Amino acid sequence: MADTTPQNRFFHPLSDDMLAAYLERIGYQGVLSPTLEVLDDLHRAHVTTICFENIQPFMGLPLSVALDDIFNKMILEKRGGYCFEHNLLFASVLLKLGFQLEMLTARVVFNTVPVTPRTHMLLQIYQDKSTWLADVGFGTKGILLPLSMEPGFPPRHFAGRSFRVKPQGRFRVLQSMIQNTWTDLYIFSLEPQEWVDYKMANHYVSTHPDSKFTQMLILQIHTKNSQITLKEKEIIETRAGELIKKTVVGKKTMSDLFKKTFHLHLTRAMVAPLQRILFRS
């Protein structure tokens, strides 16, 4: 198989110090060989430690998808991010460890009525003569562990939920079992993307008034057996698709919630304007 990794197109490799800082951030202390077991462990550690969040687009602040900016934000500043940030960072880590991969785009179809643009990023991993879908940036509706993209491969089950990748003509569809029905989450082709594709999509998602990420504050994180979502001032925890707890967040408790539940270390300069917007004071 030809070398399909994108590192020579727009990735500079992570330094050893950057890799060490990433591994410390996600609490990973295992081996670092490019195997499916390591891919599983890194994927799980990432999505249970670094949250999905759209704070900057929601506040009208610019958002960069340059790798150094992503690293500074998500690792050094202990912030979160959304799909482009999560998956560009994860791709850079996997490339550093010797994985072969391609970076793709998807059209989200879950809970959408009009046709949406291709504004989601995911990764195709080549391993053991097979291909795998890795995606650490789809929030709590997404996968905890990578999925096989091989036709006929059985669904994967984790945290009380089931997922599979299904061929659809020249496309693939990520599906989740929701209320006993296989439900489409997003559809994607296998056409490799360039960094400029993500730069353009990021500009739309982070600035356009039609983007949900400019309209509503969303924070999401996986635990090992549940999913936690904050939308505006309401926090919801689910397990296996069932509601566990729903609470309304108060202004005084928001800062602690960010840190303890979503592992976000926000400065007062970030929290204060968020509070003013959400609580109108």
Side-chain angles (χ1 to χ4, degrees), residues 2 21 23 27 34 51 57 80-82 110 114 122 166-167 178-179 182 189 193 199 209 232 234 238 268:
L23 297 175
C51 82
Y82 62 7
F110 179 73
L122 62 145
K166 182 181 179 182
I178 299 176
Q179 296 181 345
W182 282 111
S189 70
Q193 302 298 296
K199 182 179 181 181
E232 296 291 337
E234 185 175 70
T238 59
R268 179 63 186 169

Side-chain angles (χ1 to χ4, degrees), residues 11-31:
F11 262 130
H12 65 77
L14 289 183
S15 68
D16 291 344
D17 287 344
M18 292 172 77
L19 176 62
Y22 170 82
L23 297 175
E24 181 180 1
R25 172 82 163 98
I26 66 171
Y28 181 80
Q29 298 178 333
V31 299

Side-chain angles (χ1 to χ4, degrees), residues 164 206 221 230:
R164 69 182 184 184
S206 65
I221 196 165
L230 173 73

Side-chain angles (χ1 to χ4, degrees), residues 119 133 161 170 227 232 271:
T119 55
L133 183 155
R161 300 184 299 157
R170 60 189 179 91
Q227 300 79 41
E232 296 291 337
V271 174

